[in-house]
Amino acid sequence: MTTSYRKRLTANDTGETGGHQAGICVPRDDDALLSFFPTLDPAVFNPDAWLLCEDDSGVEWRMRYIYYNGRLHGRNTRNEYRITHMTKYLRRWGAKVGDSIVFTNKSTPFHYGIRLEREADSMSAEEDPLPGLIILRGWKRVF
DNA sequence: AGCCATGCACCG
DNA sequence: CGGTGCATGGCT
């Protein structure tokens, strides 16, 4: 039983805006999506976990899944999940704005399959057969 | 909520 | 010293 989630890449995600690639944002208001990724303890300040993501060519990339939660600890205003360490992978596959990165969970915890969907391909899957399954702007579950 | 941006540390 | 990522602030 596998599940996949897709995130459409923005200019900031690909580094085109000149940002230092702090990572893509993971919406925190979707329980299914949060349980899809490892649990990060809110009681811990800025907890993180390493994801082992295997791409289509069998190469495994380590990505950092982190919960910036300083707001919960009175340290700052942050309260959001992020996935960082994607720059090498994105460059390897020449990711562009509009392309999507797809995470598919494996049977082993912390292990995921990743795939880059070109804009043209993801477009066809853009019309959703089941309304209500769209997760916010960037993220969406795929079947 | 989500995307854009940056000062600094670290490391090759 | 340039690239990368951390942690955070800012803007919409």
Side-chain angles (χ1 to χ4, degrees):
Chain A
M1 170 85 78
T2 63
T3 307
S4 296
Y5 278 95
R6 165 156 51 91
K7 204 270 179 198
R8 189 183 169 100
L9 298 175
T10 66
N12 195 50
D13 295 337
T14 61
E16 286 178 37
T17 56
H20 302 183
Q21 194 55 46
I24 67 176
C25 186
V26 179
R28 82 169 191 288
D29 63 343
D30 187 275
D31 294 337
L33 181 52
L34 289 186
S35 58
F36 172 77
F37 287 116
T39 301
L40 295 178
D41 189 355
V44 176
F45 174 66
N46 288 1
D48 67 341
W50 288 96
L51 310 180
L52 300 171
C53 306
E54 184 181 357
D55 69 17
D56 286 341
S57 66
V59 176
E60 195 162 76
W61 306 81
R62 296 170 68 251
M63 294 184 184
R64 189 186 185 215
Y65 176 52
I66 179 167
Y67 181 24
Y68 283 112
N69 63 359
R71 180 174 195 168
L72 307 181
H73 297 265
R75 315 251 305 230
N76 54 57
T77 64
R78 291 299 106 184
N79 186 22
E80 63 191 34
Y81 291 82
R82 282 207 173 119
I83 295 177
T84 64
H85 278 261
M86 308 183 41
T87 48
K88 281 208 170 64
Y89 168 77
L90 293 177
R91 191 157 52 218
R92 157 68 179 80
W93 292 92
K96 296 187 295 290
V97 175
D99 291 345
S100 298
I101 181 168
V102 181
F103 289 86
T104 302
N105 62 357
K106 298 188 173 187
S107 49
T108 341
F110 303 102
H111 285 73
Y112 297 83
I114 48 172
R115 178 167 49 92
L116 197 68
E117 259 183 24
R118 299 298 167 182
E119 182 166 28
D121 303 330
S122 55
M123 273 291 125
S124 56
E126 204 60 47
E127 68 255 47
D128 51 297
L130 303 170
L133 288 176
I134 298 177
I135 317 288
L136 301 182
R137 248 181 293 188
W139 287 82
K140 165 175 193 174
R141 182 172 175 177
V142 295
F143 297 90

